[in-house]
Amino acid sequence: MNFIGSKVIETERLLLRPTQETDLKTLWEILCILDVNKYYLTTKMSLDWEEEKVWQYKKLERAHYPDTFQWSIILKENNECIGQISVHEASLEDGKTTDVSIRGIGWFINPKHQHKGLATECASEILKYMFEEVGIHEIKTGAAIKNIASWKLMEKLGFQRRNSNYQMKYTFLEEPEELYSYGMTKEEYKKRNT
């Protein structure tokens, strides 16, 4: 695995770049939207910017580290930050970190820019980068069964539904949700993209 960090990636409509200070509050505002955070956030987040910005600035310090794979999603037409995509160390259900070449993936986009194919455009390029340049062996991820748009997108991208579902407690939901488990190996990626 090559620890080469979050290089700038350009797609037809998007610029994917490491998060900048000017993105922080915008990304937080998007995450404050219930339709965005309910099936995304699994860690503590304050709905008060003054409290939350301490954590956001700590994350910003790591934005250019070679082991950080996290991008702000920028619309090229107007330079608007519309969301974020990240590839991070995957965890087993017992919370232990797996091999560093196995990663998880997650993204969120402002609802006013959803249903335009932007998540597909963005995630496709990040998968290409992670498998072809970074050299990871596998991505493991999941989607709440109730979050139909998310798991349909995963399947469109080529993720395979694995045989085991699991439970996850999202930050702003009262009860744990059942998730479909998805994965994609480097071999599965190559087979789909050759």
Side-chain angles (χ1 to χ4, degrees):
M1 181 170 161
N2 303 309
F3 289 100
I4 53 178
S6 310
K7 84 168 192 179
V8 176
I9 298 172
E10 197 168 333
T11 72
E12 182 182 343
R13 297 176 290 173
L14 302 170
L15 182 68
L16 310 173
R17 60 158 171 72
T19 300
Q20 299 176 355
E21 184 175 8
T22 54
D23 304 336
L24 294 179
K25 192 166 185 185
T26 300
L27 292 169
W28 170 79
E29 288 170 344
I30 296 169
L31 280 174
C32 285
I33 300 168
L34 180 61
D35 284 342
V36 174
N37 71 40
K38 71 179 173 182
Y39 296 124
Y40 183 79
L41 282 177
T42 58
T43 58
K44 184 178 178 241
M45 184 185 93
S46 176
L47 297 176
D48 178 315
W49 174 244
E50 291 305 311
E51 289 178 18
E52 179 63 20
K53 72 180 182 181
V54 174
W55 167 245
Q56 293 299 327
Y57 275 89
K58 284 182 181 178
K59 283 176 41 180
L60 182 63
E61 290 173 14
R62 294 192 48 82
H64 293 279
Y65 284 18
D67 63 344
T68 298
F69 301 98
Q70 183 172 8
W71 296 263
S72 289
I73 304 168
I74 310 299
L75 270 181
K76 289 187 339 189
E77 67 182 37
N78 60 8
N79 207 34
E80 179 185 357
C81 179
I82 64 165
Q84 190 172 71
I85 185 167
S86 63
V87 182
H88 48 274
E89 289 182 352
S91 295
L92 297 171
E93 291 175 33
D94 63 5
K96 295 180 181 174
T97 302
T98 63
D99 182 312
V100 293
S101 67
I102 298 175
R103 297 277 161 155
I105 189 168
W107 56 79
F108 62 88
I109 291 182
N110 188 320
K112 72 180 186 178
H113 295 291
Q114 292 176 3
H115 310 294
K116 299 176 183 178
L118 295 170
T120 305
E121 185 174 325
C122 168
S124 296
E125 287 301 312
I126 295 303
L127 290 173
K128 179 179 179 182
Y129 176 66
M130 294 305 295
F131 283 120
E132 295 181 9
E133 294 186 50
V134 177
I136 61 171
H137 298 298
E138 185 176 6
I139 292 182
K140 291 183 177 181
T141 190
I145 293 173
K146 292 179 183 176
N147 190 359
I148 298 168
S150 185
W151 58 258
K152 282 192 173 184
L153 175 56
M154 288 179 186
E155 291 176 0
K156 182 178 182 180
L157 290 166
F159 283 93
Q160 301 297 311
R161 191 179 299 174
R162 304 307 191 204
N163 291 329
S164 59
N165 294 353
Y166 60 100
Q167 298 279 318
M168 181 173 288
K169 173 66 175 82
Y170 289 99
T171 304
F172 293 108
L173 295 181
E174 293 294 320
E175 298 295 326
E177 290 288 326
E178 185 174 5
L179 280 72
Y180 287 136
S181 178
Y182 284 94
M184 182 187 300
T185 64
K186 189 171 190 173
E187 291 73 28
E188 289 169 333
Y189 171 81
K190 283 182 178 178
K191 186 175 179 181
R192 180 180 171 86
N193 292 285
T194 53

